């Protein structure tokens, strides 16, 4: 029979009188240590669907897809891929769209699909070429940040009007029929189409 070494006996005696390193979770609630970084929690009210967090997420846990037919952007966040780096939190343009929880750590699931969360945001689509400009909430956010400077561009006059109710919708609505016209700059058009209008009708003085 092999006898335990003195060092092992010493460790066994010490462990009898010192508290355990491990917690009895889930029998007892686990209290995360200070500055613990847990699950990223989205605040949908303060998330404008801008895509910035997806662009900085190292494992591509955040993805975006635009459904032009339905006019919605779908944002999916896969916490099975998340490495809790907090890049999304640090780069969020509103500063409040997503924050890593210091309490939520129970994200183990049997089906990985259950670890994916989805959000939907209404898209802003160019009325001329059909390109996706951004989300409506994103543009409203930029208007709030710009303050009075937002009025210096007529690109989004319709959108601003919806918010400020300066005129009835029909007063400023002009239908885009075929080729872009000068009046179309009052519609919601993407930067490309606006540039075409400006080059064709304003810079050349047509
Ligand atoms: S914490 Fe890091 S890995 Fe997780 S969603 Fe945010 S950016 Fe991606
Ligand atoms: S960066 Fe912030 S506002 Fe933009 S999509 Fe991500 S969480 Fe939402």
């Amino acid at each position: 029979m092999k006898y335990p070494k003195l060092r092992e006996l010493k460790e066994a005696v010490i462990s009898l009188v010192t508290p355990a390193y491990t917690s009895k979770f889930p029998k007892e609630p686990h209290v995360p240590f200070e500055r613990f970084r847990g699950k990223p929690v989205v605040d949908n009210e303060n998330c404008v669907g801008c895509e910035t967090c997806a662009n900085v997420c190292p494992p591509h846990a955040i993805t975006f897809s635009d459904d032009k037919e339905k006019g919605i952007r779908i944002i999916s966040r896969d916490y099975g891929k998340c490495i809790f780096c907090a890049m999304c939190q640090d780069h969020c343009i509103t500063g409040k769209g997503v924050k890593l929880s210091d309490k939520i750590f129970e994200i183990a699931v049997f089906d990985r699909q259950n670890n994916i969360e989805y959000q939907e945001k209404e898209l802003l689509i160019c009325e001329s070429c059909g390109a996706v400009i951004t989300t409506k909430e994103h543009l409203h956010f930029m208007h709030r940040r710009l303050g009075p400077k937002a009025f210096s561009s007529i690109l989004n006059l319709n959108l601003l009007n919806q918010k400020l109710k300066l005129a009835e919708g029909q007063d400023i609505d002009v239908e885009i029929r075929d080729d872009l016209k000068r009046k179309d700059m009052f519609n919601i058009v993407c930067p490309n189409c606006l540039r075409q209008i400006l080059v064709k009708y304003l810079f050349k003085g047509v």
Side-chain angles (χ1 to χ4, degrees):
M1 181 184 163
K2 257 188 151 182
Y3 293 103
K5 291 177 198 155
L6 268 181
R7 183 181 59 79
E8 287 164 348
L9 272 174
K10 187 181 157 199
E11 274 177 18
V13 172
I14 291 172
S15 71
L16 280 176
V17 292
T18 50
Y21 283 108
T22 51
S23 64
K24 291 184 178 170
F25 181 82
K27 206 172 167 190
E28 288 173 10
H30 173 67
V31 182
F33 50 85
E34 209 185 326
R35 298 176 66 210
F36 169 79
R37 289 197 299 205
K39 183 188 170 198
V41 178
V42 174
D43 178 353
N44 198 38
E45 290 294 309
N46 284 302
C47 169
V48 295
C50 66
E51 279 193 52
T52 307
C53 52
N55 291 329
V56 296
C57 176
H60 304 295
I62 308 168
T63 51
F64 283 68
S65 63
D66 292 337
D67 186 335
K68 282 203 232 174
E69 292 288 307
K70 292 183 185 163
I72 53 164
R73 167 167 292 171
I74 300 160
I75 308 157
S76 67
R77 299 172 194 263
D78 186 346
Y79 298 113
K81 291 182 183 170
C82 178
I83 56 172
F84 313 102
C85 63
M87 292 287 275
C88 52
Q89 173 183 302
D90 294 348
H91 289 82
C92 177
I93 63 161
T94 67
K96 301 177 195 161
V98 63
K99 287 221 180 298
L100 267 66
S101 164
D102 58 359
K103 292 182 185 66
I104 305 173
F105 52 86
E106 290 179 72
I107 55 170
V109 286
F110 286 108
D111 183 351
R112 287 180 184 203
Q113 292 302 312
N114 294 339
N115 245 342
I116 306 175
E117 285 178 5
Y118 298 94
Q119 283 170 271
E120 286 187 4
K121 297 283 174 191
E122 198 179 343
L123 279 175
L124 197 66
I125 294 173
C126 175
E127 290 173 11
S128 169
C129 69
V132 171
I133 303 171
T134 182
T135 63
K136 284 193 176 175
E137 285 178 48
H138 187 192
L139 208 66
H140 284 312
F141 170 74
M142 289 194 284
H143 288 161
R144 282 198 300 279
R145 291 295 298 266
L146 284 167
K149 289 182 194 145
F151 299 96
S152 63
S153 166
I154 53 173
L155 168 67
N156 308 310
L157 189 65
N158 271 349
L159 204 71
L160 277 171
N161 185 54
Q162 279 171 20
K163 198 168 165 229
L164 300 172
K165 311 252 182 283
L166 296 171
E168 292 295 323
Q170 56 269 31
D171 290 348
I172 56 167
D173 257 4
V174 275
E175 201 180 333
I176 297 176
R177 291 178 194 277
D178 33 48
D179 199 17
L180 283 168
K181 304 282 191 304
R182 188 172 174 161
K183 65 180 172 53
D184 291 331
M185 73 176 69
F186 293 96
N187 281 308
I188 294 168
V189 289
C190 68
N192 260 342
C193 289
L194 184 71
R195 192 185 66 81
Q196 278 182 44
I197 299 168
L198 293 175
V199 168
K200 195 168 167 187
Y201 295 102
L202 298 186
F203 298 153
K204 289 185 180 170
V206 180

